[in-house]
């Protein structure tokens, strides 16, 4: 796996497009991480936290009923939903809080979309006794009320951001402004492989544990590498986390699944790689959803974690190199996949991860018997159940557009759900 | 002020216009006054009137903002100005036309201030060509530090447009040296670690920091972020070659009133600032 160049470029992407005030802090962070990641004492402490606190390694479990349903392709689920706090996000926040402490920073800030990164940051900050402010778009504060409360229970202050689209990108703007103002004593924990150098490499380094484990586990479990690894892509931290271990294996297809929202042709989606153009947002150059005049477009996804107009620069580079296979899942497909995994495997995935599940079913069907696929179940769906309940109720009430979107998957479970029965009876 | 309103018989090369503005202010025993107006806020005609009101009030350099949806270096005042401008449909091309319209009426140097993405979307070379054609003398791009500015800076220089670098209280001596070596037009010292916006107090160690930078810099050094009153301008005038006032002007444009009333308000305010830049 390649390191970016000294200035943080992955090919033409990445870099540092930030106000001058932050450049010295980014230099300091880069140097601190270069030192820490080679320091056995730091690594041992991180390993200890990941094992005793976060619950690593997470299992790579066989999805037997799903495998049968998709036609015999073996499907393995990487269970990041079993991490402490319910998502892979904690791998990154534990590492960065350790790093912040090493740099002598007294305060933590973060931005969050779905709230998973906010909860993971609040958790790590609580563990080390550091005050923590989490910026969150006002819209996300509404739709992720449970996670807001969790952050508050953990002692963090949640700051609603009313500007712009009131979602993740605006929360990130506000966090950057806070950091510009308080850069002396504050560490900003970016939650994805986005932002200025060194964050894309730093967050990837902290998340690659997912792929390193999965690679070892799949060798033990199946005796070979998978045909495909499937992960959802918002900013891209769970995707880079699992892909990194397989980037050097050309036979392993890396499938990044973006949010198609209401559909790629509607303009209401979060598919920056598929439909964006290279540009600069939040400190780095990467594919972006933007209008002809370079104004950032509002992304849309049923999943707050995928509702981001940008993507990590390394993913942009992998796309241009042809190493990344892009797929998309609509809001409806994600809702269906969430129910599907719940009923076939007894796992309620996060809406983000449900996008990966939706695409993985297609990949697995195509591979057929003898195929082997790993799906990164990046988080659990507890945070989303209220929103899913509402979305399903709306869908049951308005059956028209659903039919146009294609047939819902038929779960192998004998018992049809109330909503499906209701829809069929219309 | 008469110099500022001199007719444009022979347009000066860009750095000349900037150098001359600072030289003129210095000869008069003044710090140069740099005033900021967001292009297209709340509409293009009004922003043209406001820029001309700044010239009448005695501004030595004009900054015209190019709106961006995600202005990470700006505080709420300028962010809202950008939102108003974008809501009115302002484009990069219109901001260039606005600069050209100001240039037709005044030889006051013009710096466009904006974020890099709209400039990239417009096309780097096309944007810089059109800046030169419009009579834009300088570009201030807060999210384009020297590390990322190489090619853009070279292309700009080839067209006689100065790419202005920013320095901050956090800048290390090495970064200060690099910025001074690459400096064109002028250097922009950000007075505080923070975003744009009016502030009551400025840091105590401003004077020695500015003195160090001015000793090293081959070009004039202006100070910005946080200046809003004539009293502040008076206190800072001896410390820098120029002072930038942005949010305080934007606030006066945003207050209700007819276009004429706003223009008079802005002109009066700029004149009060300009008087305060006298060093004697």
């Amino acid at each position: 796996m390649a390191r970016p160049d000294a200035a943080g470029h992955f090919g033409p992407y990445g870099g540092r497009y930030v106000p001058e005030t932050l450049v010295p802090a980014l230099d300091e962070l880069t140097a601190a991480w270069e030192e820490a990641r080679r320091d056995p004492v730091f690594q041992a402490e991180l390993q200890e936290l990941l094992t005793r606190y976060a619950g690593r390694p997470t299992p790579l479990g066989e999805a037997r009923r799903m495998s049968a349903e998709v036609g015999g392709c073996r499907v393995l689920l990487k269970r990041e939903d079993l991490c402490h706090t319910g998502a892979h996000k904690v791998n990154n926040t534990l590492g960065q809080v350790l790093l912040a402490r090493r740099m002598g920073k007294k305060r933590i800030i973060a931005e969050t979309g779905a709230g998973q990164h906010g909860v993971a940051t609040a958790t790590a900050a609580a563990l080390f006794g550091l005050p923590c402010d989490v910026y969150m778009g006002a819209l996300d504060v509404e739709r992720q009320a449970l996670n807001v409360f969790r952050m508050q229970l953990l002692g963090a202050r949640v700051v609603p951001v009313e500007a712009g689209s009131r979602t993740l990108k605006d929360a990130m703007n506000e966090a950057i402004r806070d950091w510009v103002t308080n850069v002396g004593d504050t560490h900003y924990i970016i939650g994805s492989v986005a932002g200025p150098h060194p964050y894309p490499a730093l967050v990837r380094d902290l998340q690659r544990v997912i792929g390193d484990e999965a690679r070892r586990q799949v060798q033990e479990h199946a005796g070979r590498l998978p045909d495909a690894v499937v992960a959802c892509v918002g900013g891209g931290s769970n995707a880079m986390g699992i892909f990194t271990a397989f980037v050097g294996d050309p036979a392993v297809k890396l499938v990044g699944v973006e949010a198609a929202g209401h559909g790629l042709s509607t303009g209401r989606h979060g598919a920056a790689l598929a439909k964006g153009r290279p540009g600069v947002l939040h400190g780095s150059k990467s594919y972006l959803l933007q209008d002809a005049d370079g104004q950032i477009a509002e992304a849309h996804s049923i999943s707050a974690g995928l509702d981001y107009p940008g993507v990590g620069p390394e993913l942009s580079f992998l796309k241009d190199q042809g190493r990344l296979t892009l797929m998309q899942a609509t809001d409806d497909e994600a809702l269906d996949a969430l129910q599907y995994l719940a009923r076939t495997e007894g796992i309620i995935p996060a809406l983000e991860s449900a996008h990966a599940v939706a695409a993985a079913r297609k990949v697995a069907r195509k591979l057929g018997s003898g195929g082997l696929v790993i799906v990164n179940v990046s988080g659990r769906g507890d945070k989303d159940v209220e929103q899913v309940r509402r979305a399903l109720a709306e869908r049951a009430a308005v059956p028209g557009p659903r039919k146009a979107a294609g047939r819902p998957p038929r779960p192998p479970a004998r018992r049809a759900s109330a909503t499906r029965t209701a829809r069929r009876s219309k | 002020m008469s110099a500022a309103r001199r007719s444009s018989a022979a347009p000066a090369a860009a750095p000349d216009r900037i150098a001359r503005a600072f030289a003129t202010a210095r000869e008069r025993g003044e710090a140069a006054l740099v005033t900021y107006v967001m292009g297209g806020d709340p509409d293009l005609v009004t922003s043209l009137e406001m820029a001309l009101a700044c010239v009448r009030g005695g501004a030595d350099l004009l900054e015209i903002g190019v709106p961006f949806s995600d202005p990470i270096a700006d505080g709420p005042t300028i962010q809202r100005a950008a939102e108003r401008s974008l809501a009115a449909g302002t484009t990069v091309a219109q901001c260039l036309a606005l600069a050209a319209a100001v240039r037709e009426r005044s030889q006051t140097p013009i710096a466009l201030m904006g974020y890099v993405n709209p400039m990239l979307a417009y096309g780097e070379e096309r944007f810089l060509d059109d800046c030169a054609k419009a009579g834009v003398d300088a570009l201030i791009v807060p999210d384009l530090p020297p590390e990322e500015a190489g090619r853009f800076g070279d292309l700009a220089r080839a067209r006689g447009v100065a790419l202005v670098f920013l320095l901050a209280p956090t800048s290390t001596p090495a970064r200060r040296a690099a910025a001074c070596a690459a400096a064109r037009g002028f250097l922009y010292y950000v007075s505080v670690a923070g975003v744009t916006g009016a502030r009551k107090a400025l840091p105590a160690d401003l004077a020695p920091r500015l003195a160090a930078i001015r000793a090293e810099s081959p070009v004039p050094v202006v100070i910005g972020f946080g200046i809003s009153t004539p009293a502040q301008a008076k206190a800072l005038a001896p410390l820098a070659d120029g002072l930038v006032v942005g949010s305080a002007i934007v606030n006066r444009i945003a207050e209700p009133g007819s276009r004429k009333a706003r223009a008079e308000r802005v002109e009066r305010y700029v004149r009060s600032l300009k008087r305060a830049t006298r060093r004697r």
Side-chain angles (χ1 to χ4, degrees), chain B:
Chain B
M1 272 122 281
S2 62
R5 307 202 69 187
R6 198 165 46 206
S7 75
S8 53
D16 287 356
R17 242 178 336 232
I18 292 174
R20 208 168 53 223
F22 280 103
T24 305
R26 191 165 48 239
E27 282 157 22
R28 290 181 183 150
E30 298 169 357
L33 178 64
V34 185
T35 60
Y36 174 97
V37 167
M38 171 64 79
D41 169 33
D43 58 71
L44 282 163
V45 176
T46 305
S47 57
L48 173 61
E49 290 296 318
M50 298 305 131
L52 296 173
C54 290
V55 172
R56 286 196 302 275
D60 300 292
L61 237 118
L62 293 173
E63 258 188 54
I64 295 177
V66 180
F68 182 49
S69 52
D70 294 79
I72 52 173
D74 284 301
T77 297
I78 289 180
Q79 185 180 17
R80 280 196 291 269
E83 283 170 8
R84 287 191 295 269
S85 172
L86 290 173
T90 308
T91 63
V92 174
Q94 288 174 340
C95 290
L96 288 162
L98 172 64
V102 174
R103 177 58 68 240
E104 275 176 28
R105 294 161 177 81
S106 164
Q107 278 302 302
T108 306
I110 297 172
L112 289 188
M113 177 156 186
Y115 292 80
V116 72
N117 198 56
M119 300 176 190
L120 296 179
Y122 193 88
E124 268 180 336
E125 298 198 35
R126 179 174 161 235
F127 176 72
L128 294 166
D129 284 344
D130 289 355
C131 281
K133 272 185 227 154
V136 169
D137 303 280
L139 292 170
I140 303 170
V141 190
D143 59 348
L144 195 65
E147 288 87 341
E148 299 293 350
R151 181 180 135 83
F152 191 78
D154 293 344
L155 292 170
R157 189 165 55 220
R159 289 159 178 78
V161 177
L163 180 61
V164 171
F165 291 120
L166 292 92
L167 284 169
T170 54
S171 301
T172 57
R175 294 191 60 75
R176 209 166 63 201
C180 285
R184 294 288 181 283
F186 56 97
L187 276 173
Y188 192 130
Y189 183 72
V190 175
S191 66
V192 289
V195 293
T196 57
R199 282 176 181 80
K200 284 207 176 71
L202 290 167
D205 59 351
L206 207 53
R209 285 179 183 279
L210 272 165
I213 296 167
R214 286 174 86 191
E216 214 174 323
S217 174
V219 292
V221 178
V222 306
I223 173 173
F225 284 37
I227 305 167
S228 61
T229 65
Q232 282 175 328
K234 194 161 187 59
L236 292 171
L239 307 182
D241 299 296
L243 312 174
V244 187
V245 179
S247 296
I249 292 171
V250 170
N251 278 331
R252 279 164 177 80
I253 296 170
E255 280 170 29
S258 67
R259 201 173 278 156
K260 186 158 175 284
R262 292 182 206 217
E264 283 168 4
R265 187 158 64 211
V266 167
E267 182 182 336
R268 211 161 42 236
Y269 172 63
V270 170
R271 185 166 293 119
S272 72
L273 289 169
K274 185 62 226 179
R275 266 198 302 269
T277 63
R278 284 189 203 125
R279 296 195 177 112
R280 290 183 294 273

